[in-house]
Amino acid sequence: MPIKLPATLPAYDVLTREGVMVMSEDQAARQDIRPLRIGLLNLMPKKIQTETQFARLIGATPLQIEFSLIRMTDHETKNTAAQHMESFYRPFEEVEATGEKFDGLIITGAPIEHLPFEDVTYWDELTRVFDWTQSHVQSTFGVCWGGMAMIHHFHGVKKHMLDAKLFGCFRHMNLAQESPYLRGFSDDLVMPVSRWTEMRRDEIEAAGLPILLHSDEVGPALVEDPEHRALYVFNHFEYDSGTLNEEYQRDLKSVQVEGAEISVPVNYFPGDDPTQRPPNRWRSHAHLLYGNWINEIYQSTPYDMNAIGA
């Protein structure tokens, strides 16, 4: 089954060209089936790129997916056209007021790691989102800063600033081969990392949360929170092949302004040569993880959506 997207959403054409099965809302209406409702609370500045990356992953399963785009109510993005936001996104305040429910919700990262959580302008509303998921979402997936924010809100686990940015492709170990979320995973794997903060293994374990993927170099990567029906991933399986390069080129330009030292992403370019095309070595595990997540939602979510969170 395909993922249901508005035919005018940029991701529709991108994924169609890639061979991902997509269908318009008109086509979906002709099928007598209840699709899984998956929401994306998109906190990233490049909204179109991010929504395409996640639609690609959740649209690769055999189930029909209805994809909904959500934004913070009063936060205005500077990097995405207002027309795009008006056409495809709904503010959380509106979603909350309707009382509608979701089988799954993805909460993305945001480039605000340097700020204490409580200093983020939309923190109060975001904590409302976290609490709302407990009664209106079957399973929530917090990504990078979004995952750090969730684990901090629900368990008080702190994020710690680093002296240097963790940037590149790092090897991770599979610590929970029996986990349904890691079904089909190899014993170790490569994952893109791009962050200035870390969550520490001892503090996560002290909170009683199982760590599923871990790296000796960059710390915990995937954490399960059964009590809150949530997963937290602190790195970026969703990244395209060239996303780290785009960030590297952006950082190089910022050097001229801020004078910061910029390092080549670790283990990313062949021979650490930025003129070479970087290979994608995480795509298969990215599809496995999000496919397994969708499968677990399908196995557990009630047919009657009103029963979600009951």
Side-chain angles (χ1 to χ4, degrees), residues 261-277:
E261 182 179 346
I262 304 301
S263 300
V264 173
V266 173
N267 197 29
Y268 176 58
F269 296 109
D272 290 332
D273 180 358
T275 66
Q276 300 296 309
R277 182 178 179 178

Side-chain angles (χ1 to χ4, degrees), residues 65 163 207 279:
I65 305 293
D163 295 330

